[in-house]
Amino acid sequence: MTDCEPHDMKNSKQHAVDVTLDPDTAHPKLILSADGKQVKHGDTRQNLPDTPKRFNYIGSVLGGEGFSSGKFYYEVQVKGKTGWAIGVARESINRKGSIKASPDNGYWTIRLRNGTYEALARPFVPLSLIGILQRVGVFVDYDAGLVSFYDADCWDHIYSFNNVSFTGKIYPYFSPVMNEGGKNSVPLIISPVHVCPIK
């Protein structure tokens, strides 16, 4: 265990899961890579069926596998992006129309917006971070009702939602946010679990 890899993160890392994106949930303007590991916002709305699973207003996509017990952990590269939102969401969330991402609505997420990091609790919680996030780790303990976020490059804790009463399946949640005329065109990338370098 290195100086930048505290015990709790070492344990969290042991619960890494292989997350891929579910194209059947993706908003029509989202572009997914063939391997299901990357997503970015495009300017053109694709001609896709508006099924019950698909987000039709908010540019979001879910992971392909849901969880209803135990612990899981995954990492997302956010390097180079000016906006994004990451976390987990309940399977039963409303996917149609304008949606406010909050725990009351079945979302446990953090985001970068207008240069500010926030936890989308109620009310929103500004996050004070040192430097710019390059990679975010998301750890969930379903049975304990815990969703924690980490700076995955040095295992610094960012924020936790505690005492969550989960019901039914929850899924990894991703939003690359608007393209902003190419300023935010870099994709979110689900990356292999990062091993912290020795300082």
Side-chain angles (χ1 to χ4, degrees), residues 96-115:
K96 308 301 179 184
S98 180
I99 303 162
K100 184 175 182 179
S102 71
D104 290 346
N105 293 330
Y107 295 82
W108 296 271
T109 61
I110 64 171
R111 74 179 181 186
L112 170 62
R113 181 182 183 184
N114 298 326

Side-chain angles (χ1 to χ4, degrees), residues 24-86:
D24 292 336
T25 68
H27 183 278
K29 283 192 175 181
L30 296 188
I31 300 170
L32 277 59
S33 61
D35 64 0
K37 296 293 187 181
Q38 302 185 26
V39 57
K40 63 182 180 179
H41 192 280
D43 290 323
T44 304
R45 191 179 186 93
Q46 302 167 82
N47 185 21
L48 298 171
D50 186 17
T51 63
K53 291 179 64 176
R54 191 180 305 283
F55 291 94
N56 73 348
Y57 186 85
I58 302 297
S60 304
V61 59
L62 298 179
E65 181 182 359
F67 300 86
S68 56
S69 65
K71 303 173 183 178
F72 65 94
Y73 175 79
Y74 66 94
E75 292 181 358
V76 186
Q77 181 176 307
V78 297
K79 181 179 180 180
K81 292 193 64 59
T82 59
W84 49 262
I86 295 169

Side-chain angles (χ1 to χ4, degrees), residues 9 12 17 19 72-81 83-88 108-112 117-119 127 129 131-139 147-161 172-175 187-194:
M9 270 312 308
S12 299
V17 293
V19 176
F72 65 94
Y73 175 79
Y74 66 94
E75 292 181 358
V76 186
Q77 181 176 307
V78 297
K79 181 179 180 180
K81 292 193 64 59
W84 49 262
I86 295 169
V88 294
W108 296 271
T109 61
I110 64 171
R111 74 179 181 186
L112 170 62
Y117 296 102
E118 298 173 309
L127 303 175
L129 304 178
I132 299 173
L133 285 174
Q134 307 291 315
R135 190 192 309 258
V136 177
V138 183
F139 172 72
V147 182
S148 292
F149 298 87
Y150 294 87
D151 179 340
D153 284 325
C154 272
W155 305 114
D156 290 330
H157 176 254
I158 298 172
Y159 185 81
S160 288
F161 293 91
Y173 170 86
F174 309 86
S175 176
L188 289 175
I189 303 173
I190 301 168
S191 56
V193 171
H194 181 59

